[in-house]
Amino acid sequence: MNFFLTEEQKAVRKLARDFAEKEIKPVVAEDDHTHRFQKEIVLKMADQGFFGAAFPEKYGGSNLGFVAHAITVEEISKAESSLRHFFNMQALTCPLTILNWGTEEQKEAYVRKLIRCELFGVNAMTEPNAGSDFASIHANAVEDGDFFVINGAKMWISNAPIMDTGVVYVKTDPKIVPKHRGISCFIIEKDMPGLSRKEIKDKLGHHSAPTGELIFEDCRVPRNNLVGELGQGFKIAMTALDFGRISVAAGAVGVAQACIDESVRYCNEREAFGKKIGEFQMNQQKIADMIAGTEASRILLYKAAFLADKKIRNTFESTIAKHVASETCVRAARFAVEIFGGYGYSEEYPVARLYRDAILYQTGEGSSNITSMIIASDGLGWKKVKVDY
Ligand SMILES: Cc1cc2nc3c(=O)[nH]c(=O)nc-3n(C[C@H](O)[C@H](O)[C@H](O)COP(=O)(O)OP(=O)(O)OC[C@H]3O[C@@H](n4cnc5c(N)ncnc54)[C@H](O)[C@@H]3O)c2cc1C
Protein backbone atom coordinates (compact mmCIF):
# COMPACT_ATOMS: atom_id res chain seq x y z
CA MET A 1 0.00 0.00 0.00
CA ASN A 2 1.38 3.40 -0.96
CA PHE A 3 -0.20 6.69 0.08
CA PHE A 4 2.39 8.90 -1.64
CA LEU A 5 1.57 10.90 -4.72
CA THR A 6 3.98 10.35 -7.59
CA GLU A 7 6.17 13.25 -8.73
CA GLU A 8 3.93 13.47 -11.80
CA GLN A 9 0.79 13.74 -9.64
CA LYS A 10 2.43 16.40 -7.48
CA ALA A 11 3.24 18.36 -10.63
CA VAL A 12 -0.39 18.03 -11.74
CA ARG A 13 -1.54 19.41 -8.38
CA LYS A 14 0.85 22.35 -8.61
CA LEU A 15 -0.23 23.15 -12.14
CA ALA A 16 -3.92 23.12 -11.18
CA ARG A 17 -3.31 25.05 -7.95
CA ASP A 18 -1.29 27.77 -9.72
CA PHE A 19 -3.91 27.98 -12.46
CA ALA A 20 -6.67 28.42 -9.88
CA GLU A 21 -4.75 31.15 -8.07
CA LYS A 22 -3.96 33.08 -11.22
CA GLU A 23 -6.97 32.57 -13.47
CA ILE A 24 -9.94 31.70 -11.29
CA LYS A 25 -9.70 33.27 -7.85
CA PRO A 26 -9.50 36.89 -9.08
CA VAL A 27 -12.82 36.58 -10.96
CA VAL A 28 -14.84 33.95 -9.12
CA ALA A 29 -16.93 36.29 -6.95
CA GLU A 30 -17.87 38.58 -9.83
CA ASP A 31 -18.66 35.69 -12.18
CA ASP A 32 -20.82 34.01 -9.55
CA HIS A 33 -22.66 37.28 -9.04
CA THR A 34 -23.27 37.88 -12.75
CA HIS A 35 -23.92 34.17 -13.54
CA ARG A 36 -21.34 34.39 -16.32
CA PHE A 37 -20.26 31.28 -18.24
CA GLN A 38 -16.46 31.46 -17.96
CA LYS A 39 -15.75 30.23 -21.47
CA GLU A 40 -12.24 31.62 -21.74
CA ILE A 41 -11.23 30.01 -18.42
CA VAL A 42 -12.64 26.66 -19.55
CA LEU A 43 -10.73 26.93 -22.85
CA LYS A 44 -7.54 27.70 -20.92
CA MET A 45 -8.20 24.65 -18.73
CA ALA A 46 -8.49 22.58 -21.91
CA ASP A 47 -5.20 24.07 -23.16
CA GLN A 48 -3.55 22.92 -19.93
CA GLY A 49 -4.78 19.38 -20.65
CA PHE A 50 -6.98 19.30 -17.54
CA PHE A 51 -9.75 17.32 -19.23
CA GLY A 52 -7.51 14.73 -20.86
CA ALA A 53 -5.87 13.12 -17.81
CA ALA A 54 -7.88 9.91 -18.04
CA PHE A 55 -7.61 9.59 -21.84
CA PRO A 56 -5.03 7.81 -24.00
CA GLU A 57 -2.64 9.90 -26.06
CA LYS A 58 -4.18 8.43 -29.22
CA TYR A 59 -7.28 10.56 -28.59
CA GLY A 60 -5.51 13.67 -27.36
CA GLY A 61 -5.26 12.76 -23.68
CA SER A 62 -2.21 12.67 -21.40
CA ASN A 63 -2.85 9.20 -19.95
CA LEU A 64 -2.00 10.49 -16.46
CA GLY A 65 -5.00 8.66 -15.04
CA PHE A 66 -7.99 9.08 -12.77
CA VAL A 67 -6.00 9.97 -9.64
CA ALA A 68 -4.46 12.86 -11.59
CA HIS A 69 -7.97 13.78 -12.80
CA ALA A 70 -9.25 13.78 -9.18
CA ILE A 71 -6.36 15.94 -7.96
CA THR A 72 -6.99 18.48 -10.72
CA VAL A 73 -10.74 18.63 -10.05
CA GLU A 74 -10.16 19.10 -6.33
CA GLU A 75 -7.88 22.10 -6.92
CA ILE A 76 -10.17 23.75 -9.47
CA SER A 77 -13.32 23.13 -7.44
CA LYS A 78 -11.64 24.54 -4.33
CA ALA A 79 -11.44 27.83 -6.23
CA GLU A 80 -14.73 27.64 -8.15
CA SER A 81 -17.15 24.72 -7.94
CA SER A 82 -19.07 25.80 -11.09
CA LEU A 83 -16.04 24.80 -13.13
CA ARG A 84 -16.31 21.24 -11.79
CA HIS A 85 -19.15 20.51 -14.22
CA PHE A 86 -16.79 20.68 -17.17
CA PHE A 87 -14.81 17.76 -15.78
CA ASN A 88 -17.85 15.61 -16.37
CA MET A 89 -19.05 17.03 -19.66
CA GLN A 90 -15.61 17.47 -21.26
CA ALA A 91 -14.07 14.39 -19.62
CA LEU A 92 -15.71 11.68 -17.56
CA THR A 93 -19.34 11.22 -18.56
CA CYS A 94 -19.55 12.46 -22.14
CA PRO A 95 -16.28 11.72 -23.98
CA LEU A 96 -15.35 8.81 -21.71
CA THR A 97 -18.66 7.14 -22.57
CA ILE A 98 -17.86 7.50 -26.26
CA LEU A 99 -14.31 6.23 -25.63
CA ASN A 100 -15.52 3.19 -23.67
CA TRP A 101 -18.55 2.24 -25.75
CA GLY A 102 -18.34 4.03 -29.10
CA THR A 103 -17.20 2.83 -32.51
CA GLU A 104 -13.76 3.82 -33.76
CA GLU A 105 -15.44 6.34 -36.06
CA GLN A 106 -17.31 7.92 -33.11
CA LYS A 107 -14.15 8.06 -30.99
CA GLU A 108 -12.23 9.74 -33.82
CA ALA A 109 -15.00 12.24 -34.43
CA TYR A 110 -15.70 13.35 -30.85
CA VAL A 111 -13.28 12.36 -28.08
CA ARG A 112 -10.31 14.59 -28.94
CA LYS A 113 -12.55 17.57 -29.73
CA LEU A 114 -14.45 17.21 -26.45
CA ILE A 115 -11.44 17.01 -24.16
CA ARG A 116 -9.93 20.00 -26.00
CA CYS A 117 -13.24 21.89 -25.70
CA GLU A 118 -13.46 22.37 -29.44
CA LEU A 119 -16.91 20.88 -28.82
CA PHE A 120 -18.97 21.31 -25.66
CA GLY A 121 -20.71 18.12 -24.55
CA VAL A 122 -23.73 16.98 -22.55
CA ASN A 123 -24.66 13.79 -20.76
CA ALA A 124 -28.45 13.76 -20.88
CA MET A 125 -30.19 11.27 -18.59
CA THR A 126 -32.59 13.17 -16.30
CA GLU A 127 -36.12 14.09 -17.43
CA PRO A 128 -38.80 16.36 -15.98
CA ASN A 129 -40.46 13.27 -14.43
CA ALA A 130 -37.56 10.85 -13.99
CA GLY A 131 -34.26 11.45 -12.26
CA SER A 132 -33.31 8.87 -9.64
CA ASP A 133 -35.70 6.41 -11.29
CA PHE A 134 -33.71 6.44 -14.52
CA ALA A 135 -35.25 3.21 -15.83
CA SER A 136 -38.60 5.08 -16.03
CA ILE A 137 -37.53 7.71 -18.56
CA HIS A 138 -40.12 8.58 -21.22
CA ALA A 139 -38.08 10.09 -24.05
CA ASN A 140 -38.13 7.53 -26.82
CA ALA A 141 -36.61 6.74 -30.17
CA VAL A 142 -38.46 4.94 -32.95
CA GLU A 143 -36.57 3.28 -35.79
CA ASP A 144 -37.14 4.74 -39.26
CA GLY A 145 -34.80 3.30 -41.89
CA ASP A 146 -31.29 4.58 -41.25
CA PHE A 147 -32.54 6.92 -38.52
CA PHE A 148 -34.06 6.90 -35.07
CA VAL A 149 -36.73 9.54 -34.40
CA ILE A 150 -36.48 10.93 -30.86
CA ASN A 151 -39.33 12.56 -28.94
CA GLY A 152 -39.27 13.71 -25.33
CA ALA A 153 -37.46 16.08 -22.99
CA LYS A 154 -34.37 16.11 -20.79
CA MET A 155 -34.18 18.30 -17.71
CA TRP A 156 -31.33 19.74 -15.66
CA ILE A 157 -28.72 19.07 -18.31
CA SER A 158 -25.34 20.64 -17.63
CA ASN A 159 -23.96 22.48 -20.67
CA ALA A 160 -27.31 22.28 -22.54
CA PRO A 161 -27.33 26.02 -23.40
CA ILE A 162 -23.80 25.87 -24.84
CA MET A 163 -23.71 22.31 -26.17
CA ASP A 164 -22.36 21.24 -29.53
CA THR A 165 -22.81 17.51 -29.04
CA GLY A 166 -23.30 14.88 -26.34
CA VAL A 167 -24.88 11.61 -25.35
CA VAL A 168 -28.59 11.14 -24.67
CA TYR A 169 -30.43 8.16 -23.20
CA VAL A 170 -33.85 7.25 -24.58
CA LYS A 171 -36.25 4.32 -24.63
CA THR A 172 -36.01 2.22 -27.77
CA ASP A 173 -38.19 -0.57 -26.40
CA PRO A 174 -40.75 0.94 -23.99
CA LYS A 175 -42.60 -2.38 -23.44
CA ILE A 176 -39.68 -4.63 -22.47
CA VAL A 177 -39.54 -6.06 -18.92
CA PRO A 178 -37.42 -5.32 -16.95
CA LYS A 179 -37.76 -1.77 -18.23
CA HIS A 180 -34.08 -0.78 -17.90
CA ARG A 181 -33.33 -3.16 -20.79
CA GLY A 182 -35.22 -0.90 -23.19
CA ILE A 183 -32.88 2.09 -22.97
CA SER A 184 -30.32 3.04 -25.65
CA CYS A 185 -27.65 5.72 -25.92
CA PHE A 186 -27.20 8.07 -28.90
CA ILE A 187 -24.83 10.85 -29.85
CA ILE A 188 -26.68 14.06 -30.61
CA GLU A 189 -25.60 17.32 -32.20
CA LYS A 190 -27.06 20.74 -31.53
CA ASP A 191 -28.08 21.43 -35.14
CA MET A 192 -30.14 18.29 -35.57
CA PRO A 193 -33.63 19.36 -36.75
CA GLY A 194 -36.15 18.85 -33.97
CA LEU A 195 -33.72 19.51 -31.10
CA SER A 196 -34.19 22.71 -29.13
CA ARG A 197 -32.76 23.97 -25.86
CA LYS A 198 -33.87 26.20 -23.03
CA GLU A 199 -31.63 27.65 -20.34
CA ILE A 200 -32.51 27.13 -16.68
CA LYS A 201 -31.68 30.42 -15.01
CA ASP A 202 -31.72 31.47 -11.37
CA LYS A 203 -30.27 28.32 -9.85
CA LEU A 204 -29.46 28.27 -6.13
CA GLY A 205 -25.73 27.84 -6.80
CA HIS A 206 -23.20 26.88 -9.45
CA HIS A 207 -24.13 30.13 -11.14
CA SER A 208 -21.35 30.02 -13.71
CA ALA A 209 -22.21 26.51 -14.92
CA PRO A 210 -24.79 26.66 -17.73
CA THR A 211 -27.73 24.29 -17.21
CA GLY A 212 -30.79 23.69 -19.35
CA GLU A 213 -33.47 21.54 -20.91
CA LEU A 214 -33.29 19.62 -24.17
CA ILE A 215 -36.51 19.21 -26.13
CA PHE A 216 -36.77 16.58 -28.86
CA GLU A 217 -39.61 16.89 -31.38
CA ASP A 218 -39.30 14.28 -34.13
CA CYS A 219 -35.53 14.72 -33.96
CA ARG A 220 -33.92 12.42 -36.51
CA VAL A 221 -30.67 10.87 -35.35
CA PRO A 222 -28.65 8.69 -37.75
CA ARG A 223 -28.39 5.01 -36.81
CA ASN A 224 -24.59 5.44 -36.87
CA ASN A 225 -24.94 7.61 -33.76
CA LEU A 226 -26.05 4.68 -31.62
CA VAL A 227 -23.47 4.17 -28.86
CA GLY A 228 -22.96 0.51 -27.93
CA GLU A 229 -25.79 -1.85 -28.77
CA LEU A 230 -29.52 -1.26 -28.89
CA GLY A 231 -30.90 -1.75 -25.35
CA GLN A 232 -27.49 -1.38 -23.72
CA GLY A 233 -28.06 2.20 -22.56
CA PHE A 234 -28.77 1.50 -18.89
CA LYS A 235 -25.51 -0.40 -18.49
CA ILE A 236 -23.61 2.33 -20.35
CA ALA A 237 -25.12 5.03 -18.13
CA MET A 238 -24.38 3.17 -14.91
CA THR A 239 -20.73 2.60 -15.82
CA ALA A 240 -20.48 6.27 -16.79
CA LEU A 241 -21.76 7.16 -13.31
CA ASP A 242 -18.95 5.14 -11.71
CA PHE A 243 -16.51 7.54 -13.37
CA GLY A 244 -18.70 10.61 -12.94
CA ARG A 245 -18.86 9.98 -9.19
CA ILE A 246 -15.06 10.24 -9.00
CA SER A 247 -15.28 13.71 -10.47
CA VAL A 248 -18.20 14.69 -8.20
CA ALA A 249 -16.42 13.38 -5.09
CA ALA A 250 -13.30 15.34 -6.08
CA GLY A 251 -15.38 18.50 -6.51
CA ALA A 252 -16.94 17.98 -3.08
CA VAL A 253 -13.50 17.50 -1.49
CA GLY A 254 -12.39 20.76 -3.12
CA VAL A 255 -15.39 22.66 -1.73
CA ALA A 256 -14.88 21.13 1.73
CA GLN A 257 -11.21 22.13 1.66
CA ALA A 258 -12.16 25.68 0.66
CA CYS A 259 -14.52 25.79 3.67
CA ILE A 260 -11.66 24.69 5.93
CA ASP A 261 -9.22 27.24 4.47
CA GLU A 262 -11.68 30.12 4.84
CA SER A 263 -12.73 29.06 8.35
CA VAL A 264 -9.16 28.64 9.62
CA ARG A 265 -8.23 32.07 8.32
CA TYR A 266 -11.28 33.69 9.91
CA CYS A 267 -10.80 31.82 13.22
CA ASN A 268 -7.30 33.26 13.44
CA GLU A 269 -8.42 36.81 12.57
CA ARG A 270 -11.78 37.48 14.16
CA GLU A 271 -11.94 38.32 17.84
CA ALA A 272 -14.77 38.05 20.37
CA PHE A 273 -14.70 38.26 24.15
CA GLY A 274 -11.08 39.43 23.85
CA LYS A 275 -9.92 36.25 22.10
CA LYS A 276 -9.47 34.92 18.59
CA ILE A 277 -12.66 32.97 17.84
CA GLY A 278 -10.49 29.91 17.05
CA GLU A 279 -9.73 29.72 20.75
CA PHE A 280 -13.32 28.71 21.49
CA GLN A 281 -13.46 24.93 21.73
CA MET A 282 -16.83 24.76 20.00
CA ASN A 283 -15.27 26.37 16.93
CA GLN A 284 -12.27 24.05 17.22
CA GLN A 285 -14.65 21.09 17.22
CA LYS A 286 -16.11 22.32 13.92
CA ILE A 287 -12.63 22.77 12.43
CA ALA A 288 -11.61 19.28 13.57
CA ASP A 289 -14.80 17.74 12.14
CA MET A 290 -14.28 19.50 8.80
CA ILE A 291 -10.63 18.45 8.54
CA ALA A 292 -11.24 14.83 9.58
CA GLY A 293 -14.21 14.44 7.22
CA THR A 294 -12.37 16.00 4.31
CA GLU A 295 -9.27 13.89 4.83
CA ALA A 296 -11.39 10.71 5.01
CA SER A 297 -13.26 11.76 1.84
CA ARG A 298 -9.98 12.41 0.04
CA ILE A 299 -8.66 8.94 0.87
CA LEU A 300 -11.90 7.32 -0.32
CA LEU A 301 -11.72 9.41 -3.49
CA TYR A 302 -8.13 8.47 -4.25
CA LYS A 303 -8.93 4.80 -3.65
CA ALA A 304 -11.84 4.89 -6.11
CA ALA A 305 -9.67 6.71 -8.67
CA PHE A 306 -6.78 4.30 -8.07
CA LEU A 307 -9.07 1.35 -8.87
CA ALA A 308 -10.22 3.10 -12.04
CA ASP A 309 -6.55 3.51 -13.02
CA LYS A 310 -6.12 -0.24 -12.48
CA LYS A 311 -9.21 -0.85 -14.63
CA ILE A 312 -10.96 -2.56 -11.71
CA ARG A 313 -14.71 -2.02 -11.34
CA ASN A 314 -15.19 0.63 -8.64
CA THR A 315 -18.97 1.09 -8.34
CA PHE A 316 -18.82 0.43 -4.58
CA GLU A 317 -15.81 2.65 -3.92
CA SER A 318 -16.82 5.55 -6.18
CA THR A 319 -20.33 5.51 -4.68
CA ILE A 320 -18.98 5.60 -1.11
CA ALA A 321 -16.47 8.32 -2.03
CA LYS A 322 -19.23 10.43 -3.59
CA HIS A 323 -21.57 9.77 -0.66
CA VAL A 324 -19.10 10.65 2.10
CA ALA A 325 -17.51 13.59 0.25
CA SER A 326 -20.84 15.21 -0.61
CA GLU A 327 -22.21 14.87 2.94
CA THR A 328 -18.89 16.16 4.29
CA CYS A 329 -18.83 19.21 2.03
CA VAL A 330 -22.39 20.19 2.95
CA ARG A 331 -21.59 19.89 6.65
CA ALA A 332 -18.33 21.78 6.18
CA ALA A 333 -20.15 24.56 4.32
CA ARG A 334 -22.73 24.83 7.09
CA PHE A 335 -20.00 24.99 9.73
CA ALA A 336 -18.09 27.59 7.71
CA VAL A 337 -21.17 29.82 7.49
CA GLU A 338 -21.70 29.41 11.24
CA ILE A 339 -18.06 30.27 12.01
CA PHE A 340 -18.40 33.45 9.95
CA GLY A 341 -21.44 34.48 12.00
CA GLY A 342 -23.39 37.30 10.34
CA TYR A 343 -20.72 37.67 7.65
CA GLY A 344 -21.41 34.07 6.64
CA TYR A 345 -24.74 35.34 5.38
CA SER A 346 -23.10 37.95 3.20
CA GLU A 347 -21.69 37.68 -0.31
CA GLU A 348 -18.73 39.71 0.95
CA TYR A 349 -17.04 36.42 1.89
CA PRO A 350 -16.86 33.23 -0.19
CA VAL A 351 -18.57 30.96 2.34
CA ALA A 352 -22.09 31.95 1.23
CA ARG A 353 -21.21 30.80 -2.31
CA LEU A 354 -19.60 27.64 -0.96
CA TYR A 355 -22.78 26.90 0.99
CA ARG A 356 -25.00 27.36 -2.08
CA ASP A 357 -22.66 25.28 -4.26
CA ALA A 358 -22.16 22.51 -1.69
CA ILE A 359 -25.83 21.46 -1.63
CA LEU A 360 -25.75 20.23 -5.23
CA TYR A 361 -23.22 17.54 -4.38
CA GLN A 362 -25.93 15.69 -2.46
CA THR A 363 -28.11 15.53 -5.61
CA GLY A 364 -26.04 15.06 -8.78
CA GLU A 365 -24.73 11.70 -9.98
CA GLY A 366 -27.08 9.87 -7.59
CA SER A 367 -28.63 11.64 -4.60
CA SER A 368 -27.47 10.80 -1.08
CA ASN A 369 -30.57 8.61 -0.68
CA ILE A 370 -29.69 6.69 -3.83
CA THR A 371 -26.00 6.27 -2.90
CA SER A 372 -27.17 5.08 0.56
CA MET A 373 -29.40 2.51 -1.15
CA ILE A 374 -26.54 1.23 -3.32
CA ILE A 375 -24.22 0.89 -0.30
CA ALA A 376 -26.91 -0.72 1.87
CA SER A 377 -28.05 -3.13 -0.86
CA ASP A 378 -24.48 -4.35 -1.18
CA GLY A 379 -24.05 -4.57 2.58
CA LEU A 380 -27.29 -6.50 3.00
CA GLY A 381 -26.23 -8.87 0.25
CA TRP A 382 -29.21 -8.02 -1.98
CA LYS A 383 -27.33 -6.50 -4.89
CA LYS A 384 -23.57 -6.89 -4.73
CA VAL A 385 -21.57 -4.19 -6.50
CA LYS A 386 -18.28 -4.66 -4.64
CA VAL A 387 -15.76 -6.79 -6.46
CA ASP A 388 -12.82 -8.68 -4.97
CA TYR A 389 -9.38 -7.40 -5.85
C1 LIG B 1 -27.37 21.95 -11.46
C2 LIG B 1 -27.74 20.57 -11.88
C3 LIG B 1 -27.06 19.97 -12.93
C4 LIG B 1 -27.42 18.69 -13.37
N1 LIG B 1 -26.79 18.14 -14.45
C5 LIG B 1 -27.27 16.99 -14.98
C6 LIG B 1 -26.75 16.47 -16.21
O1 LIG B 1 -25.81 17.02 -16.79
N2 LIG B 1 -27.29 15.35 -16.72
C7 LIG B 1 -28.33 14.70 -16.13
O2 LIG B 1 -28.79 13.70 -16.67
N3 LIG B 1 -28.86 15.16 -14.96
C8 LIG B 1 -28.36 16.28 -14.38
N4 LIG B 1 -28.89 16.76 -13.21
C9 LIG B 1 -30.02 16.07 -12.62
C10 LIG B 1 -29.68 15.27 -11.38
O3 LIG B 1 -28.87 14.18 -11.71
C11 LIG B 1 -31.01 14.84 -10.76
O4 LIG B 1 -31.60 16.03 -10.23
C12 LIG B 1 -30.84 13.80 -9.69
O5 LIG B 1 -30.48 12.56 -10.26
C13 LIG B 1 -32.14 13.59 -8.87
O6 LIG B 1 -33.22 13.40 -9.72
P1 LIG B 1 -34.57 14.28 -9.55
O7 LIG B 1 -34.17 15.70 -9.50
O8 LIG B 1 -35.53 13.84 -10.57
O9 LIG B 1 -35.10 13.90 -8.11
P2 LIG B 1 -36.07 12.67 -7.77
O10 LIG B 1 -35.55 11.43 -8.37
O11 LIG B 1 -37.47 13.07 -8.06
O12 LIG B 1 -35.87 12.59 -6.20
C14 LIG B 1 -36.48 13.52 -5.30
C15 LIG B 1 -36.09 13.12 -3.89
O13 LIG B 1 -36.56 11.79 -3.61
C16 LIG B 1 -35.46 10.95 -3.26
N5 LIG B 1 -35.67 9.62 -3.83
C17 LIG B 1 -35.99 9.29 -5.11
N6 LIG B 1 -36.08 7.95 -5.23
C18 LIG B 1 -35.81 7.43 -4.00
C19 LIG B 1 -35.74 6.11 -3.46
N7 LIG B 1 -35.97 5.03 -4.23
N8 LIG B 1 -35.44 5.96 -2.15
C20 LIG B 1 -35.21 7.03 -1.36
N9 LIG B 1 -35.26 8.30 -1.80
C21 LIG B 1 -35.56 8.50 -3.10
C22 LIG B 1 -34.22 11.63 -3.84
O14 LIG B 1 -33.06 11.28 -3.11
C23 LIG B 1 -34.56 13.09 -3.69
O15 LIG B 1 -34.26 13.49 -2.39
C24 LIG B 1 -28.49 18.01 -12.72
C25 LIG B 1 -29.17 18.61 -11.64
C26 LIG B 1 -28.80 19.87 -11.23
C27 LIG B 1 -29.58 20.51 -10.10
Side-chain angles (χ1 to χ4, degrees):
M1 203 172 284
N2 179 358
F3 286 100
F4 297 112
L5 296 184
T6 63
E7 289 308 314
E8 210 170 42
Q9 287 161 349
K10 282 186 201 163
V12 163
R13 185 173 59 187
K14 182 169 180 341
L15 185 69
R17 202 171 271 177
D18 290 349
F19 182 90
E21 279 302 322
K22 185 166 163 250
E23 305 285 349
I24 304 171
K25 283 194 180 166
V27 293
V28 54
E30 179 63 19
D31 288 346
D32 182 67
H33 184 62
T34 57
H35 296 215
R36 191 178 73 90
F37 161 45
Q38 301 143 311
K39 186 172 180 182
E40 62 295 341
I41 296 183
V42 178
L43 294 179
K44 281 185 190 171
M45 284 163 59
D47 279 349
Q48 297 289 329
F50 287 173
F51 303 118
F55 289 81
E57 283 159 19
K58 181 178 177 199
Y59 298 105
S62 61
N63 215 12
L64 290 169
F66 289 91
V67 173
H69 174 95
I71 291 168
T72 309
V73 178
E74 181 185 337
E75 292 302 327
I76 299 300
S77 184
K78 192 166 70 180
E80 164 62 295
S81 187
S82 283
L83 291 166
R84 208 278 317 161
H85 291 259
F86 298 95
F87 286 92
N88 266 23
M89 304 314 140
Q90 307 307 130
L92 294 199
T93 48
C94 179
L96 195 65
T97 297
I98 298 173
L99 181 78
N100 287 342
W101 298 90
T103 61
E104 194 50 43
E105 202 181 6
Q106 291 169 345
K107 292 180 206 182
E108 286 292 341
Y110 297 103
V111 173
R112 182 184 299 267
K113 288 185 179 167
L114 281 162
I115 62 180
R116 286 188 178 169
C117 291
E118 288 164 22
L119 297 174
F120 281 100
V122 294
N123 177 62
M125 297 171 61
T126 306
E127 299 191 352
N129 295 311
S132 308
D133 187 7
F134 175 57
S136 296
I137 57 171
H138 288 99
N140 62 83
V142 177
E143 240 174 311
D144 183 17
D146 285 340
F147 289 83
F148 281 83
V149 182
I150 300 185
N151 279 287
K154 293 287 168 183
M155 185 71 184
W156 289 116
I157 305 306
S158 299
N159 272 4
I162 57 156
M163 72 166 269
D164 297 296
T165 184
V167 288
V168 65
Y169 295 87
V170 292
K171 281 267 165 85
T172 40
D173 189 348
K175 295 207 177 97
I176 197 168
V177 180
K179 55 191 176 184
H180 68 265
R181 293 225 178 110
I183 296 174
S184 300
C185 176
F186 291 91
I187 295 172
I188 50 169
E189 293 188 358
K190 72 166 180 211
D191 296 328
M192 287 173 164
L195 172 59
S196 57
R197 295 168 283 154
K198 205 159 115 194
E199 183 161 11
I200 301 172
K201 292 189 173 151
D202 300 328
K203 301 192 298 285
L204 175 65
H206 288 100
H207 289 160
S208 304
T211 316
E213 294 175 48
L214 300 178
I215 300 120
F216 297 86
E217 290 164 307
D218 291 331
C219 176
R220 293 173 73 79
V221 178
R223 173 179 283 277
N224 283 347
N225 287 27
L226 176 68
V227 180
E229 290 168 21
L230 213 53
Q232 216 178 18
F234 191 86
K235 189 174 175 189
I236 295 173
M238 292 306 117
T239 52
L241 287 183
D242 288 350
F243 296 111
R245 282 181 188 143
I246 292 176
S247 164
V248 173
V253 169
V255 170
Q257 186 61 52
C259 293
I260 295 170
D261 295 348
E262 293 299 331
S263 301
V264 165
R265 200 175 43 74
Y266 199 71
C267 275
N268 285 320
E269 270 172 25
R270 176 84 175 170
E271 291 187 1
F273 297 92
K275 292 176 176 178
K276 301 276 188 241
I277 61 164
E279 290 183 52
F280 300 121
Q281 287 186 345
M282 279 182 273
N283 282 342
Q284 289 175 13
Q285 191 171 20
K286 288 191 174 80
I287 297 285
D289 184 286
M290 290 156 86
I291 292 174
T294 304
E295 194 56 27
S297 303
R298 189 176 284 120
I299 290 170
L300 290 168
L301 163 68
Y302 287 3
K303 183 180 178 190
F306 171 83
L307 292 173
D309 279 336
K310 298 286 175 210
K311 302 203 183 320
I312 295 170
R313 186 183 171 196
N314 67 353
T315 307
F316 183 74
E317 289 77 8
S318 62
T319 302
I320 290 188
K322 191 269 167 185
H323 183 83
V324 175
S326 58
E327 291 296 316
T328 297
C329 94
V330 172
R331 196 169 60 247
R334 182 164 66 78
F335 284 168
V337 169
E338 283 176 23
I339 284 172
F340 272 71
Y343 291 104
Y345 212 64
S346 144
E347 296 293 336
E348 194 182 329
Y349 289 94
V351 291
R353 171 176 52 81
L354 293 168
Y355 186 74
R356 288 187 276 98
D357 288 351
I359 307 288
L360 181 63
Y361 286 98
Q362 289 176 318
T363 298
E365 239 77 3
S367 68
S368 286
N369 285 6
I370 296 301
T371 49
S372 294
M373 276 169 50
I374 295 170
I375 298 162
S377 299
D378 181 277
L380 291 162
W382 297 342
K383 191 171 178 208
K384 295 304 281 181
V385 287
K386 189 172 186 349
V387 297
D388 288 332
Y389 44 82

